[in-house]
Amino acid sequence: GAVVSQHPSRVICKSGTSVKIECRSLDFQATTMFWYRQFPKKSLMLMATSNEGSKATYEQGVEKDKFLINHASLTLSTLTVTSAHPEDSSFYICSANSGEDTQYFGPGTRLTVL
Amino acid sequence: DAKTTQPPSMDCAEGRAANLPCNHSTISGNEYVYWYRQIHSQGPQYIIHGLKNNETNEMASLIITEDRKSSTLILPHATLRDTAVYYCIAGYNAGNMLTFGGGTRLMVKP
C-alpha cells in the first residue's frame, strides 16, 4: 500500500512553545490529508481536513488558531501546535488519500508537553 | 458516516481463525465498509474494504451480508502479531474523513 510518513515520531517540549509536525505522502500525491488526535485508551478523533492550496476545515471544538495546518504541496501537510500546554499532550496521526478508495495513515507523532 | 457497533474485545487462539463482527445497520447504499487495525502506539493500518461483494486480500477476508447491515472480518490464521485494536468504519470513500468508533481489541493467545 501507499506510504505516509510523519516527523518527528515523538517530541517533548516545554509549555508555551510551538511544535511543528510534518506529514508526507512518499509515493503518491494527496490533495487531501487528515489530522487526527488520539488520547490514551481512546479512539482517533478527527481534528481537521487539510486541502492542498486552500484553508483547512476544522472539526467542531478544534481551535484553528491553536492548531495551524498548512498543506503547501501535494505531498506535504504540516500541523503546528502553537503555545502548547500539557493538555495538548497526545498522539497526533495524519492520513492521506492515495486517489483510490483508501486512506493511508502515518505512524503518528507522540507529543508530550511539560 | 453510518455508525458501527463492534464488541469491545475478543480473544483468539494462535493459528485459529479470528472472526471479528461489525454491525452497520444504518449504512447507506454508497457507503463502503473499511477495516483498519492499530497496534499499540502506531498509526492505523489499512486491512481491507468492500461495498457489496465479499473481498479477500493477503491479510484478510471481508464478508458483507446481503442486506449490508453487518460484516465480518476474518483473519484466517491469527498470529501473535495480529493482536491489535480493529476498527470497522462505514464511509463514503477515502476522500472523505473516516469516523472511528471504539473498535474491537483482539488478543491472540499462544
Side-chain angles (χ1 to χ4, degrees):
Chain A
V3 179
V4 176
S5 70
Q6 283 184 242
H7 177 80
S9 58
R10 57 179 63 229
V11 57
I12 301 173
C13 69
K14 293 182 179 180
S15 185
T17 60
S18 294
V19 174
K20 179 185 284 188
I21 302 170
E22 293 185 348
C23 176
R24 293 182 185 273
S25 56
L26 296 186
D27 51 0
F28 65 97
Q29 294 183 330
T31 55
T32 304
M33 290 183 173
F34 302 89
W35 286 96
Y36 295 80
R37 180 168 54 180
Q38 186 176 32
F39 292 106
K41 299 188 185 301
K42 300 293 186 181
S43 190
L44 282 76
M45 295 294 295
L46 180 70
M47 298 176 67
T49 302
S50 169
N51 296 296
E52 187 268 338
S54 64
K55 291 183 178 180
T57 303
Y58 291 82
E59 295 300 300
Q60 190 173 11
V62 178
E63 300 175 56
K64 63 180 181 180
D65 294 330
K66 180 170 182 62
F67 298 99
L68 301 179
I69 292 174
N70 187 332
H71 196 153
S73 77
L74 288 172
T75 59
L76 173 64
S77 176
T78 60
L79 168 68
T80 300
V81 183
T82 62
S83 187
H85 288 95
E87 58 266 30
D88 298 322
S89 297
S90 189
F91 192 49
Y92 292 86
I93 308 168
C94 70
S95 71
N97 175 14
S98 66
E100 304 168 357
D101 294 324
T102 308
Q103 268 187 48
Y104 293 95
F105 286 79
T109 296
R110 171 102 30 219
L111 170 64
T112 302
V113 185
L114 303 176
Chain B
D1 294 352
K3 178 180 171 58
T4 60
T5 305
Q6 298 177 254
S9 64
M10 290 181 63
D11 289 345
C12 177
E14 186 179 19
R16 304 296 294 269
N19 297 287
L20 291 89
C22 180
N23 182 289
H24 32 79
S25 58
T26 61
I27 195 170
S28 65
N30 53 353
E31 281 187 295
Y32 291 85
V33 178
Y34 291 93
W35 282 85
Y36 286 82
R37 72 181 182 184
Q38 186 177 28
I39 297 171
H40 182 62
S41 295
Q42 297 182 24
Q45 178 189 20
Y46 167 79
I47 301 174
I48 199 167
H49 76 283
L51 186 61
K52 295 181 181 179
N53 299 323
N54 297 337
E55 302 287 344
T56 295
N57 63 20
E58 64 278 5
M59 288 184 70
S61 294
L62 173 60
I63 308 299
I64 304 174
T65 58
E66 193 169 341
D67 63 7
R68 300 209 330 122
K69 293 185 177 182
S70 65
S71 61
T72 301
L73 177 75
I74 301 172
L75 307 178
H77 305 287
T79 70
L80 298 179
R81 287 179 294 181
D82 292 322
T83 293
V85 178
Y86 287 76
Y87 295 100
C88 167
I89 303 167
Y92 288 99
N93 62 57
N96 291 333
M97 67 174 199
L98 297 176
T99 302
F100 285 77
T104 295
R105 185 172 298 277
L106 175 68
M107 180 73 71
V108 181
K109 298 183 175 181

